[in-house]
Amino acid sequence: MTSDTSSVDGALKAVLPELERNQRMLVLAPHSTVNTGVVQGDQRNVSSSSVAGGGPVVPVRQGPVRAKDLQAARRRFVPPPAFEAGLAALESGILLLVGEPGTGRLTLALNLLAHPCDDPALVQIDGAEDLTRWRPRPQGVHGYLVTEPGDPFALRPWDLSNLEAALAEAEARLVIVLPDVPGLTRFLERDFGAQVVRHRPPDPAEVFAAHLADICPDARDRARMLEPLGPDFLPSVLPSGLPPGYAARAAETVGRLGAGGEVRLAEVLARLASVEAQELLARAEHDPELLSHLFSVSVYGGLDRGIVVERAADLMASASPGPEPGPAGHGLREPMGNQGFGLVRQRPLGDILRGVGAHRVPGLGVDGPQPVAFFWPAVGDAVWEVVCREHADLLPPLHHWLGRTGSTATEIERAGRAMAGMAVRTGGRTLGLVRELALTVGHAGFEVAARCLGTAALDPVVAHKVRDLLQEWSDAPETVLRSAVAYACRSDVGGVEAEHALMLLHGVANRGGDAPEDTSVALSVAETLIQRFAVGDSETRETITRHLVVWTQAEDTAALVASLTFPVLVDFDHIWFSGRMLAGPTTASDIAELVQRALNEAASYPSMRDALLAWCRGPDEAPDPAVEELFARLVDSRQHGFLRLLLLIDRGGDAMPGKALAERCLAEWRSRNQPQRTD
């Protein structure tokens, strides 16, 4: 009993100063462990024993900095802007070094503590250690390093004063590394002034050079390695703001690849991206928040951070268990499905971005977009490579997530590209998921599906599978699948060649009926025709013209689409049609045939009329030989639609375009209708 009482008295003497200073709750329980649930303030467990002459022995969690780590940090050190300021502040014995994780804070701290000793003895202290009670060893240690103490707000000027005195007596120095938190930084600057130094990382090119020089000391060998990398090496591999650790990894990669022979930039980027993707996925595998943001940056990297965060939140929400079974209810990993994450971000965005190897792209205004991206853009593709190879169970929920992307064209394009990448990497096995996506997700879903198919058609590995799928969809009864085919045939979507696209579009247009949904599909076909003509070269335009002539040979939906679309094409580029009218009889005959069909069709007559009047007017009001050739062919055809146009022009005023030409054509028409005289 006496022993227990004296032990408790010793414990009280040890903790009362802290109790008075912090006014926190204290729980004393000799030989026990106490946990009373939620409390305000600290819980402290003091275990005592009947050891003669003393209170509790609390081990200090600290240990020496590994010699090889210190040597490497000194050999490859590039002094950042704060180096001289850090040395000056450290003269007091203590330096509070503020900076973001991953920017080389520890390397700077070690070099500050080691300066200017040849063989310094440095000790690293656990951040959980209570610095208000910690004291340095009497001798034998040059410097101490503490990384992110648990409660930096508990430090007071008098605590640092006591530490400074103890450090001065031990002839040692202390660097406390702190995160760059706005509230904390203001607090430290207000109370500690010059002892606070802000760290900014050194130039990544200098870090790269220092590490490469340590790996390959011979300057000629280094020059041999770097020469084949070309002028794009610095902006591609060492962009501004690249953390020192990334620059060091780039140097190690170049040194390793260069030692075996000539190294190319693409090889360096691919190796860096592959290693980074593997590490990021391993880090985020059991962290749903990190995993969601990793996939979001992989798809939408380079877009505004609001889009990246929103899409990550949507992925987390879709991974939460819901009342309805289906793709949306499946988690990316079982822990994610079980934990039921919502839309609220669980930690600061800066921490999340660092966790997934991304950053806010600098250089834009505060009010403008703030893009988020990987430092090395190739990491995004490398992430999909690893997922398709090692995590096939993630592909269905990821497809469902991509199909529910935002409504902007950029987001749809990104989602479709990512989905196409998965199709290519799986040899086309995921194409079966695309049909379900188009049918179930909604408007954005079919556009993403179309983007996926159009993009995948560019890859020779899966092009034949995409071709078969497009053919199947073009004859499907579901209008959404046929609309997806029409959209996939756009030249800005992917790689469906013009000949194949025109055949698919013909089938898509004719498969439907008169329902409003079928009319919408026909409109999509017309839009694709116009788009391909507008951006196509002369060969593509001739292909479109030739196919439209074939379409008009039948009395079906495709013929009506051709008649309604052709006037828009004529109005888009009169000069091209003028050149083709005079280029040869075949093309001129095709153009005349399409004009005649459009004039005869009641629905397309107004637009064809207006396009011809604009063509007659011409850029300089001069007669166009191509128009004269066209009208001559139309007179020969003697169709009612063209007669209607001639009468309209003839009855118009003198300013009516093509009036003289129309008068000549009418005279020719009437002369052919005059009854022949007989003797």
Side-chain angles (χ1 to χ4, degrees):
M1 187 71 168
T2 304
S3 176
D4 285 347
T5 303
S6 63
S7 243
V8 171
D9 289 341
L12 282 172
K13 291 177 182 178
V15 300
L16 274 175
E18 183 176 354
L19 178 62
E20 292 174 352
R21 177 170 58 252
N22 295 326
Q23 296 181 354
R24 295 173 177 173
M25 180 175 286
L26 178 66
V27 179
L28 294 177
H31 305 295
S32 304
T33 299
V34 175
N35 186 344
T36 59
V38 178
V39 297
Q40 295 296 324
D42 249 349
Q43 287 191 72
R44 190 173 301 279
N45 173 22
V46 179
S47 299
S48 62
S49 62
S50 56
V51 178
V57 177
V58 181
V60 178
R61 288 170 289 189
Q62 63 183 32
V65 176
R66 297 172 66 187
K68 67 175 185 179
D69 292 342
L70 178 58
Q71 292 168 3
R74 299 190 77 181
R75 286 197 317 268
R76 302 175 177 185
F77 179 58
V78 175
F83 182 67
E84 295 297 332
L87 287 176
L90 200 53
E91 291 179 359
S92 67
I94 299 178
L95 166 64
L96 302 175
L97 184 63
V98 177
E100 293 186 359
T103 57
R105 299 175 306 168
L106 298 184
T107 301
L108 172 59
L110 290 174
N111 279 275
L112 288 171
L113 289 171
H115 183 83
C117 304
D118 292 331
D119 188 20
L122 304 183
V123 171
Q124 186 161 359
I125 307 171
D126 192 296
E129 186 65 33
D130 184 357
L131 294 179
T132 64
R133 302 177 60 189
W134 173 86
R135 290 298 178 266
R137 296 175 186 175
Q139 57 184 1
V141 177
H142 294 91
Y144 295 88
L145 171 64
V146 182
T147 304
E148 298 192 1
D151 187 9
F153 287 99
L155 292 171
R156 293 294 184 268
W158 54 85
D159 295 320
L160 293 186
S161 179
N162 292 334
L163 282 174
E164 286 172 350
L167 288 164
E169 185 177 350
E171 297 182 348
R173 299 179 296 176
L174 171 66
V175 174
I176 303 174
V177 178
L178 298 165
D180 192 2
V181 179
L184 174 61
T185 303
R186 288 194 298 270
F187 167 76
L188 295 173
E189 289 178 335
R190 183 182 67 241
D191 287 0
F192 305 118
Q195 290 179 317
V196 180
V197 172
R198 287 175 172 270
H199 165 66
R200 295 291 181 268
D203 182 83
E206 295 181 11
V207 176
F208 173 86
H211 280 73
L212 188 61
D214 186 55
I215 296 169
C216 179
D218 190 284
R220 289 175 296 180
D221 287 342
R222 294 200 302 274
R224 176 187 56 79
M225 290 181 186
L226 295 175
E227 184 178 2
L229 295 175
D232 294 332
F233 173 74
L234 284 179
S236 299
V237 179
L238 304 171
S240 177
L242 185 73
Y246 285 75
R249 186 184 302 173
E252 293 168 0
T253 301
V254 171
R256 185 163 50 251
L257 295 176
E262 187 174 288
V263 58
R264 296 294 180 184
L265 176 59
E267 186 180 4
V268 173
L269 288 172
R271 181 68 61 88
L272 289 171
S274 177
V275 173
E276 177 78 349
Q278 290 276 9
E279 291 184 0
L280 293 176
L281 280 166
R283 182 188 308 162
E285 183 173 6
H286 299 293
D287 188 331
E289 193 172 28
L290 278 188
L291 194 62
S292 296
H293 282 82
L294 174 59
F295 287 138
S296 186
V297 177
S298 297
V299 177
Y300 304 101
L303 303 184
D304 182 69
R305 67 175 181 176
I307 294 175
V308 174
V309 171
E310 180 183 359
R311 303 308 308 137
D314 184 72
L315 180 55
M316 291 181 67
S318 68
S320 301
E324 296 294 334
H330 298 308
L332 298 179
R333 278 284 186 267
E334 193 60 28
M336 176 179 280
N338 289 338
Q339 293 175 23
F341 286 88
L343 296 177
V344 179
R345 197 166 59 240
Q346 304 296 311
R347 67 194 91 168
L349 180 60
D351 292 348
I352 295 174
L353 293 182
R354 279 191 295 271
V356 299
H359 71 301
R360 294 185 180 94
V361 180
L364 296 177
V366 176
D367 298 330
Q370 296 183 342
V372 167
F374 293 117
F375 287 101
W376 297 318
V379 171
D381 288 336
V383 166
W384 296 125
E385 188 75 39
V386 177
V387 169
C388 292
R389 185 175 64 245
E390 302 177 11
H391 306 286
D393 57 307
L394 297 181
L395 297 179
L398 285 173
H399 273 73
H400 184 80
W401 169 63
L402 290 170
R404 297 171 60 240
T405 190
S407 59
T408 67
T410 302
E411 291 174 79
I412 291 172
E413 186 272 333
R414 292 297 190 89
R417 187 198 307 171
M419 201 176 292
M422 288 188 276
V424 171
R425 290 176 176 88
T426 59
R429 292 191 302 275
T430 60
L431 289 174
L433 299 170
V434 181
R435 179 187 179 95
E436 179 184 356
L437 170 70
L439 290 173
T440 61
V441 173
H443 179 75
F446 97 82
E447 286 197 28
V448 172
R451 280 276 180 181
C452 166
L453 297 178
T455 304
L458 292 166
D459 192 278
V461 174
V462 297
H464 65 289
K465 293 186 178 181
V466 174
R467 186 186 184 99
D468 292 343
L469 193 61
L470 288 172
Q471 187 63 51
E472 176 187 336
W473 287 16
S474 69
D475 195 44
E478 297 89 351
T479 56
V480 67
L481 294 181
R482 287 184 282 119
S483 294
V485 173
Y487 194 83
C489 288
R490 291 171 58 98
S491 60
D492 59 345
V493 169
V496 182
E497 61 176 3
E499 286 284 352
H500 186 211
L502 268 295
M503 289 187 291
L504 289 171
L505 292 172
H506 184 264
V508 167
N510 277 337
R511 180 62 177 81
D514 298 329
E517 296 83 1
D518 295 312
T519 302
S520 176
V521 174
L523 180 60
S524 297
V525 171
E527 289 175 347
T528 298
L529 291 171
I530 294 169
Q531 186 275 331
R532 293 205 72 129
F533 184 90
V535 302
D537 56 16
S538 186
E539 182 179 355
T540 299
R541 292 180 172 187
E542 286 193 21
T543 300
I544 294 173
T545 303
R546 174 166 43 83
H547 275 269
L548 291 184
V549 172
V550 176
W551 289 21
T552 58
Q553 302 305 312
E555 299 295 331
D556 53 21
T557 304
L560 180 60
V561 170
S563 296
L564 290 171
T565 303
F566 184 70
V568 181
L569 307 185
V570 172
D571 202 39
F572 181 81
D573 194 345
H574 304 140
I575 296 176
W576 183 83
F577 280 100
S578 292
R580 301 320 299 162
M581 279 298 305
L582 302 175
T586 301
T587 306
S589 176
D590 288 343
I591 295 173
E593 177 70 17
L594 289 170
V595 171
Q596 171 186 301
R597 292 277 181 169
L599 288 174
N600 287 345
E601 187 70 47
S604 57
Y605 172 81
S607 57
M608 191 73 259
R609 174 200 64 204
D610 294 343
L612 289 173
L613 290 176
W615 194 357
C616 289
R617 182 177 295 110
D620 53 4
E621 303 295 336
D624 187 340
V627 178
E628 295 182 356
E629 173 66 21
L630 172 63
F631 275 41
R633 289 177 176 271
L634 293 174
V635 168
D636 291 340
S637 68
R638 303 179 66 76
Q639 294 292 317
H640 65 89
F642 181 57
L643 177 60
R644 181 182 176 186
L645 174 68
L646 292 178
L647 293 174
L648 172 73
I649 297 175
D650 184 60
R651 293 165 184 168
D654 293 338
M656 177 70 75
K659 190 171 182 64
L661 178 58
E663 289 175 349
R664 294 200 303 271
C665 289
L666 276 174
E668 175 68 19
W669 188 294
R670 288 164 179 156
S671 68
R672 296 184 181 185
N673 285 338
Q674 293 294 329
Q676 296 183 353
R677 293 183 179 180
T678 58
D679 294 333

